[in-house]
Amino acid sequence: MNRLFLLLTFLLAGVPLIAQQTTVNIDSLINHMSLKEKIGQMTQLNLTTILKDRMLEHYEEVENFEIDTAKLNYYLREWHVGSFLNGRAVSQENWYNTMHAIHSTNAKHSSIPLLYGIDHMHGASYLKNSTIFPHNMNVGCTFDTTFAYDAAWIAAYESADLGHNWIFAPVLGIGRSKIWGRFYETYSEDPYLTAKMGAASVRGTQDSTATAPYKTAACAKHFIGYSEPKSGWDRTPALIPDQELREFFLPPFRAAIDAGAKTLMINSGEINGIPVHASYDILTTMLRDELGFEGIAVTDWLDIKALEKMHYVAENEKEATFMAIKAGVDMSMVPTDTLFSHYLYELVNEGRISEERINTSVRRILKVKAEIGLFDNVLPRNDRFSRIQSDEHKAKSLQAAQESLVLMKNEEDLLPLKGKKIVLAGSTADNKAALCGGWTYRFAADGDRWFPENMPTIKDAMETTFGAKNIIHANEQNIDKKANKADVIVIATGEDEAYAETQGTIEDLHLDPEQIQLIKKAIATEKPVVLLLTEGRPRLIQKVYDDVDAALFCGLPGIYGAQAIADVLSGEVNPSGKMSFSYPKSSGHMIPYNHKRSEYSSLRPVSDELKRFSIAPFGHGVSYADFSYDKLKMDTVFTSPSDTITVSVEVTNTADVAGKEAVLWFVSDEVATITRPVKELVSFDKKMIRSGETVTFSCALIPKQDLSFPDKEGNSILEAGAFTIQVGDESQTFYYKPE
Ligand code: GLC
């Protein structure tokens, strides 16, 4: 299509061609596009398809991209490709040059700008020296959506100038499969917390005040049910009853869509025997008709091919293409060939797919491109590189890390450590990758070479904080001797390496036996033992947990995580994190806090030990302060579904140190026609409470919203009866009695 036509299009549309965002007449554009051009808009290819060949031999080692313009021109000229994706952490300069080449070359072939998708999932992950935040698992433990917003806002702010206009985040899966290799990408096992965090992330990414004149599209993923593979292995079958899918897995996506998410990525897996990429019920009836989503639904990596090669529901890739388009896919992340475009072109010419169906997807794609201003601003700029890793961004990431750490136990107030000689041992003590996990500078960085030179490990941070002379390094062979010179032993353990997706597949969630052995040796010295758990999922530590004196869940706190850990150990920071998931006690009973009552049926009582399904359940977290909850106040009878149930409680800090307290409100439905969770989070809030201070926390609930639950068709059910609200150790029964 040529520029003259485009100019005419705008003039016909009466568009004033001035600095404000151009109003694009999408239908007029579509009417003048060839079928191939339309299908090109539905095609997304990986960056590797347009790099020089020599870069592909050792792609993970690439430190500077070089575009092969012949390849790029081929895909744009012959296939009208409308989107590319991915990369690795290269410099701003190299990203600028790379993206300028891509977007400016595209402008020679088409007046429709490109979407460029990238996994900046916890900060601008694929940008050298960017501000990396804690992963979502940690952000959930802050119980402060500000950090979800900040992480997304800063990721967009640091990358939008570079032509990265589509960020593949947030992950909105419910983190209930604790062994799943992508557990750390989830915010929580709870749908309400996930929904609040995910909506904040979408707003952060799409807040154009940060990136003006550019705008960035967020991507709610992976729709739906991806986070609960039955076997715990990535992309393996999920068996999720419709009612459970709607009650636990849908709310975060509804919240993200209501927050304005412009795109959504589809779950690679199958649910109840139907691959989601082939499910009209999910991708059209649920996503479009029920949730009202109008944005782009993009496949995940290779997932149309997977319908043939992984799920075996299609005889060949052409049939797979047919199934995916019929189900409701808008764009294929192919991502390394043009077979999708080829087969779709055939399917339309054979009349099996209508051109109107193609137009529906192209309209959605062009609408997003117009909404994020690509028709006005798509070329990158290189005059604001100072945006990266500003002191303000570092401070936000550090604070997120500090507030994401969960003090699981602290016997006899062992922590904070002051004026102590400390033995430090363990596999993650001197390890940068262990602090950041996957999707950090590389898909799964091997070793520490890709991390910033100046990024401290736990060892570095503790030496800085406590003085190098007070940190004694030990290992399993000498820890008993070294312990004699120390007051306390700190074991940094968990998971040593970064992993992502199927690379994170394991068969045993127990902590590595060598680490258990080291911890046992430390315990045997009879010195106090502190565990630091840096890991992407809760490795099982029951064999030693009861015998250590303190344990700090560190998760994947990001590039400032080591400093955050040292800040908590020293008392510089009072830990305020609370578990966003239930840390399992054993592999045989890994249930979430909001489990059903019949997990512990009162007809067949089980021992208290068996009732202890978690060593640190959802919402648990110890502070150096002491918070007492008193004076829960609320009315106790409500008669209308739209009543406002206002509840308040007073929280007093009785300790001599200030601290932040996340107040979590839970509701239990005492009797219902569909079995209810023992309790459900319905609200949370976090505030600083100074020593001796009393702060009032309150929440407002509405019966039709907060006391209802869906049936398997998605109808909202609100039943009369008794409910209990619980906050801290306060609770109150109240009644919904419709008039
Ligand atoms: C991967 C992931 C998805 C990511 C995409 C692009 O397979 O499942 O989360 O955004 O491919 O890298």
Side-chain angles (χ1 to χ4, degrees), residues 85-86 119 168 182 221-222 235 265 300-301 501:
L85 81 144
N86 257 349
D119 292 293
F168 292 143
R182 303 189 71 170
K221 70 183 190 181
H222 307 75
R235 290 183 164 90
M265 192 180 293
D300 201 342
W301 187 273
E501 299 194 47

Side-chain angles (χ1 to χ4, degrees), residues 478-518:
N478 61 24
I479 192 165
D480 37 10
K481 282 198 216 48
K482 301 260 184 165
N484 294 332
K485 303 172 191 158
D487 305 304
V488 62
I489 299 174
V490 173
I491 305 284
T493 185
E495 296 183 315
D496 306 356
E497 295 175 358
Y499 55 83
E501 299 194 47
T502 42
Q503 289 185 17
T505 295
I506 55 174
E507 293 176 296
D508 184 348
L509 191 57
H510 287 90
L511 183 68
D512 181 277
E514 287 174 14
Q515 294 297 300
I516 292 288
Q517 189 55 29
L518 173 65

Side-chain angles (χ1 to χ4, degrees), residues 44 46 85-88 117-119 121 126 167-169 171 182 185 219 221-222 226 234-235 265-266 268 299-303 333 439 443 501:
Q44 181 180 60
N46 197 41
L85 81 144
N86 257 349
R88 296 289 182 263
I118 193 161
D119 292 293
M121 298 162 64
Y126 283 160
I167 290 180
F168 292 143
V171 167
R182 303 189 71 170
E185 298 179 51
C219 185
K221 70 183 190 181
H222 307 75
Y226 177 43
D234 187 40
R235 290 183 164 90
M265 192 180 293
I266 301 165
S268 304
T299 75
D300 201 342
W301 187 273
L302 288 173
D303 275 325
M333 185 188 297
W439 307 99
F443 177 69
E501 299 194 47

Side-chain angles (χ1 to χ4, degrees), residues 63 65 139 153 163 174 194 224 256 264 293 378 381 419 486 643 689:
E63 295 203 53
F65 298 133
V139 173
W153 191 96
I174 301 298
T194 303
I224 187 172
L264 170 144
F293 181 60
V378 69
R381 61 194 285 180
D643 272 350
I689 307 178

Side-chain angles (χ1 to χ4, degrees), residues 19 43 99 114 144 152 266 304 346 411 413 597 639 668 707:
T43 304
M99 297 307 290
L114 293 169
D144 183 339
I266 301 165
I304 289 181
E346 281 187 354
E411 304 289 354
D413 295 334
R597 289 190 174 94
T639 57
S668 304
L707 305 184

